[in-house]
Amino acid sequence: MGFDDLEDAAAEQDADESDDVTETESKSMPETTQTNHRSEAQATETSDDWKQHPAFPYDDASQEAIYPRSETWDDFEDTLDFEVKRELRDAGLRDIPKREYHEALLKLAMEQPERLAELVKDGRKE
């Protein structure tokens, strides 16, 4: 049917998200009483804890569909895979949920509304 690609994308996203939830649940969280009694040296050792957890929980995500051209989507995924993910790995970040990339992408668009409008106009000229 006409929505086969949408169903495939939804199933793929659900699989990615369930992997993220399982991974997050499998990691143990420190006890709050332990964090109150940490020394300065221990606090420094755990300063990279933010790298181990998603930026926001799945429940806070809003599932919205986007409809880019196939070529644009392929280029976007290549950029993520070969440039963005490499930079994040260099910073010690791995296994980023897709929702975090999409969140960052939307924030980038909001930071540069003039550029976004320009790209929409350019798309109409193609």
Side-chain angles (χ1 to χ4, degrees), residues 6-100:
L6 184 59
E7 291 172 9
D8 293 342
E12 186 178 304
Q13 183 176 6
D14 288 345
D16 288 345
E17 296 300 336
S18 67
D19 291 345
D20 297 336
V21 169
T22 303
E23 180 180 323
T24 302
E25 288 174 353
S26 68
K27 294 182 180 177
S28 62
M29 298 295 290
E31 295 287 330
T32 55
T33 56
Q34 290 176 339
T35 58
N36 293 338
H37 300 290
R38 286 186 183 167
S39 68
E40 190 66 34
Q42 289 173 324
T44 303
E45 290 174 6
T46 61
S47 64
D48 288 342
D49 281 350
W50 63 272
K51 293 180 181 180
Q52 305 303 319
H53 305 287
F56 58 94
Y58 177 74
D59 292 344
D60 288 351
S62 172
Q63 292 187 353
E64 303 293 335
I66 61 171
Y67 302 99
R69 292 182 179 117
S70 294
E71 182 180 335
T72 303
W73 185 255
D74 291 344
D75 290 346
F76 172 69
E77 286 191 326
D78 287 348
T79 300
L80 277 180
D81 289 340
F82 301 122
E83 296 179 38
V84 176
K85 287 181 181 181
R86 181 179 346 136
E87 186 169 332
L88 292 170
R89 281 188 198 108
D90 290 347
L93 298 168
R94 293 184 172 275
D95 302 322
I96 307 296
K98 283 186 179 182
R99 67 180 181 265
E100 289 187 59

